[in-house]
Amino acid sequence: MAVDVPEPAVEVERLVVVVDGVRVLDGLELHVPAGRIHAVCGPGGAGKTTLLRVLSTLLVPTSGTARVLGADVVTQAAEVRSRVGSTGRSAGFDPQVSGGANLLQLARLLGYSRPAALQRTHQLLAGFGLSDAAGRSMATYTPAMRRRLDLAASIVVRPDLVLLDEPTQDLDPHCRAEVSAVLRALVRAGTTVLLATRDPDEACRLADRVSVLVAGRVVVEGTPAAR
Ligand SMILES: Nc1ncnc2c1ncn2[C@@H]1O[C@H](COP(=O)(O)OP(=O)(O)OP(=O)(O)O)[C@@H](O)[C@H]1O
Ligand SMILES: [Mg+2]
């Protein structure tokens, strides 16, 4: 009988990143199956952001390998970039311009024709509950609205994998629940989510599986008890 084994979304082997003589990632191993929400959880300085930077091709590792959706982050970086969405895209948005206009411009930059960019922008704004605020300058947005806009910006190109660094940091419980619902919707649409968080409770609430990262290594991995 044929067994359907999905392609792993992330395969990290013996990953080492040395910064200023410090082994920030120290032989890290991580395997994330496709179609799940996976959390990397650990204390400040554990190396979570560094790992996400390697996986999004922003940082070249010192040694070891990292493959994203089957593509090597060093030798096939362009392919990785075309299939991965990351948080932080909205950092370049103009706060004086409306959220809708910023998102539309990003879609255009990412290669959408104007009609397709308009359609995608409307779809994302609706999906993230921002339709009413679309025409308002981003300077008027609450932190939660900015976070939702940043999540929308991270998936403009419908990525197969989305990398989220502290997606619920500084949000109140209501907004955290909204983010959780958005992540579930992403997974239903076929995207794999890898998120980093300092908060173990949050990791267990959001994710199907949690890897605990300490001093640049995964020390334990498990499934939250409630699942
Ligand atoms: N560019 C850099 N130069 C020097 N040290 C760095 C650099 N980037 C990361 N580090 C160090 O690497 C370690 C891991 O940093 P990283 O930001 O990946 O941790 P983190 O788990 O994301 O922490 P946090 O929970 O605070 O976000 C820290 O000790 C940090 O000081
Ligand atoms: Mg970090």
Side-chain angles (χ1 to χ4, degrees):
M1 191 176 78
V3 179
D4 185 19
V5 180
E7 173 191 43
V10 174
E11 301 163 278
V12 172
E13 313 263 356
R14 300 180 304 280
L15 192 67
V16 174
V17 169
V18 177
V19 182
D20 293 340
V22 177
R23 286 169 83 87
V24 173
L25 297 184
D26 188 18
L28 187 140
E29 306 271 331
L30 182 70
H31 295 259
V32 178
R36 298 281 179 78
I37 302 179
H38 194 108
V40 172
C41 179
K48 304 179 296 291
T49 298
T50 304
L51 170 65
L52 295 191
R53 283 169 56 79
V54 169
L55 295 177
S56 58
T57 77
L58 292 173
L59 180 67
V60 175
T62 308
S63 65
T65 58
R67 295 176 79 78
V68 170
L69 305 155
D72 186 278
V73 295
V74 178
T75 60
Q76 297 169 288
E79 187 183 338
V80 172
R81 278 196 291 272
S82 73
R83 296 182 66 190
V84 171
S86 314
T87 35
R89 282 239 185 224
S90 69
F93 282 3
D94 181 346
Q96 301 311 319
V97 173
S98 74
N102 271 305
L103 204 55
L104 180 66
Q105 191 187 20
L106 176 63
R108 293 286 282 139
L109 284 172
L110 291 171
Y112 281 72
S113 68
R114 189 170 167 78
L118 269 170
Q119 188 189 27
R120 183 70 179 136
T121 300
H122 283 303
Q123 191 181 39
L124 286 166
L125 289 167
F128 286 84
L130 291 168
S131 295
D132 290 347
R136 286 187 3 221
S137 107
M138 268 181 63
T140 67
Y141 284 21
T142 62
M145 289 164 77
R146 284 167 188 262
R147 193 65 55 88
R148 292 208 302 266
L149 189 66
D150 191 54
L151 282 171
S154 75
I155 60 162
V156 170
V157 291
R158 294 188 176 86
D160 296 310
L161 172 72
V162 65
L163 303 170
L164 305 176
D165 200 0
E166 305 285 356
T168 60
Q169 194 175 19
D170 305 328
L171 295 183
D172 64 38
H174 174 73
C175 298
R176 284 210 297 266
E178 277 181 9
V179 170
S180 178
V182 166
L183 299 190
R184 291 277 152 213
L186 275 178
V187 168
R188 276 197 301 278
T191 298
T192 303
V193 176
L194 177 62
L195 64 94
T197 176
R198 246 169 264 155
D199 180 353
D201 293 335
E202 193 65 354
C204 291
R205 242 192 317 269
L206 291 175
D208 303 310
R209 195 161 174 82
V210 180
S211 299
V212 177
L213 188 61
V214 177
R217 283 182 198 211
V218 173
V219 293
V220 65
E221 216 166 56
T223 303
R227 289 183 198 284

